Amino acid sequence: MPIPARYQADAQAIIAYRHQNGADYWATPDGRLLKGGPFSTLECVSYLLELGMEPDDPLLRGAAALIWQAQRPDGRFRLSPSGAIYPCHTIHAAHALCLLGQGGDPRLGKTFRHLLDIQMAEGGWRCNKFSFGRGPETQYANPHPTLTALDAFRFSPQWAGAPALEGAVALLLKHWRIRIPIGPCHYGIGSRFMSVEYPFRNYNLFYYVYVLSFYPSARRDERFLEALEALTNTLEQGQIVPRRVPRQMADMAFCRQGQPSALATQRYRQILDNMTQCPRTV
């Protein structure tokens, strides 16, 4: 299905940033795929898919090929030419490829196996980078990469039901009660988290409820139900209204700040559908 006419201007605006970082497909000349937010390679792929662009569109096929080039033999993804390869880099690259319909690609199977091998015992993923020092809160995994990993795993025919994923679900549900910033990167649940963000980019109430709604153990949990109620209470006339939107995107039709979003509301309705069934694809 082509991008609807009402969103064509949004798509063209995103595509117009294609070379802004110095190379093609929103990348930098040295191959950085997360540079230039909110118009980085991985982010722009997700926006265009959200707008309705087909994964086999030549533009998205080219972006997917570029992402695959960043994969290492052990399944990790190097998203910058130097420095450490952090688990969050691999998670975000795998997630983008899953959105592009490649969750069943054998090359991603290696990535998912790697992620399960490095998963923390108490559930979730974190980077061994302690920018805020080492305190008791850093014993936990980083919630946002953990949430994104769960979003990616659901696309994998082989690993979607892996028992280890329940640990990641448990960690995120626990955070609903802890609320204070946890993990080396200090992800918290406060006013910014509770302010609806769309499109999905960060650790936020809307994305939190959306991803966890695909996991039966979460849907049965009172903490998830509290989060769903909190999200539902933000609706205006039954529609999702984005409150946090990247400045450069605040006037785009699909995510106009402070205005009901039809596409965001579709995601909310998918959450409601998931309360009775658990589809594995978008």
Side-chain angles (χ1 to χ4, degrees):
M1 182 179 72
I3 296 174
R6 65 185 296 192
Y7 301 129
Q8 284 289 340
D10 293 349
Q12 291 305 313
I14 293 165
I15 294 170
Y17 282 94
R18 177 174 171 174
H19 300 99
Q20 72 147 358
N21 292 318
D24 204 357
Y25 305 115
W26 306 277
T28 64
D30 58 357
R32 296 175 189 267
L33 305 183
L34 273 176
K35 181 78 170 178
F39 298 112
S40 66
T41 301
L42 301 188
E43 291 173 303
C44 287
V45 162
S46 69
Y47 304 151
L48 293 173
L49 290 167
E50 191 77 352
L51 290 171
M53 183 174 284
E54 295 291 344
D56 63 355
D57 183 276
L59 176 62
L60 293 183
R61 286 205 311 268
L66 183 64
I67 298 169
W68 278 120
Q69 288 177 20
Q71 190 183 41
R72 304 297 90 188
D74 61 2
R76 295 180 300 163
F77 282 80
R78 179 179 287 280
L79 301 185
S80 60
S82 61
I85 303 177
Y86 293 114
C88 59
H89 296 170
T90 294
I91 287 168
H92 288 299
H95 179 247
L97 289 168
C98 286
L99 294 178
L100 285 162
Q102 301 186 37
D105 191 296
R107 292 172 291 179
L108 269 189
K110 184 184 300 185
T111 296
F112 287 130
R113 177 70 267 173
H114 163 73
L115 289 174
L116 291 175
D117 286 343
I118 66 169
Q119 184 181 12
M120 296 180 65
E122 66 270 25
W125 290 267
R126 76 174 184 190
C127 307
N128 290 319
K129 180 181 180 182
F130 297 85
S131 301
F132 299 94
R134 293 176 182 266
E137 76 282 357
T138 61
Q139 69 180 297
Y140 297 99
N142 283 326
H144 183 216
T146 297
L147 188 65
T148 305
L150 287 176
D151 200 11
F153 268 102
R154 67 186 177 88
F155 289 90
S156 170
Q158 181 179 6
W159 300 108
L165 299 180
E166 291 302 314
V169 171
L171 169 79
L172 292 167
L173 292 172
K174 183 184 295 184
H175 195 209
W176 183 255
R177 289 284 189 264
I178 296 172
R179 305 189 82 82
I180 62 172
I182 62 171
C185 292
H186 279 204
Y187 289 96
I189 292 181
S191 59
R192 286 175 61 84
F193 176 92
M194 298 299 290
S195 182
V196 170
E197 180 175 359
Y198 180 79
F200 296 144
R201 297 181 67 244
N202 296 301
Y203 191 52
N204 178 263
L205 175 66
F206 191 13
Y207 190 43
Y208 178 92
V209 174
Y210 178 78
V211 174
L212 288 179
S213 74
F214 286 90
Y215 288 84
S217 62
R219 296 198 306 266
R220 296 189 295 266
D221 193 283
E222 65 177 7
R223 294 163 293 184
F224 170 81
L225 296 175
E226 289 170 7
L228 174 57
E229 182 180 13
L231 177 62
T232 300
N233 288 340
T234 70
L235 298 182
E236 295 186 8
Q237 297 183 335
Q239 298 184 76
I240 290 285
V241 177
R243 298 299 178 186
R244 289 184 58 206
V245 180
R247 176 180 54 81
Q248 302 94 319
M249 303 176 70
D251 290 327
M252 289 188 177
F254 86 107
C255 61
R256 186 166 288 124
Q257 188 168 6
Q259 298 294 322
S261 166
L263 292 183
T265 301
Q266 286 181 23
R267 292 299 181 192
Y268 173 75
R269 290 172 180 159
Q270 191 174 7
I271 293 169
L272 300 184
D273 289 342
N274 287 351
M275 297 306 290
T276 58
Q277 58 185 341
C278 189
R280 298 194 186 280
T281 59
V282 294

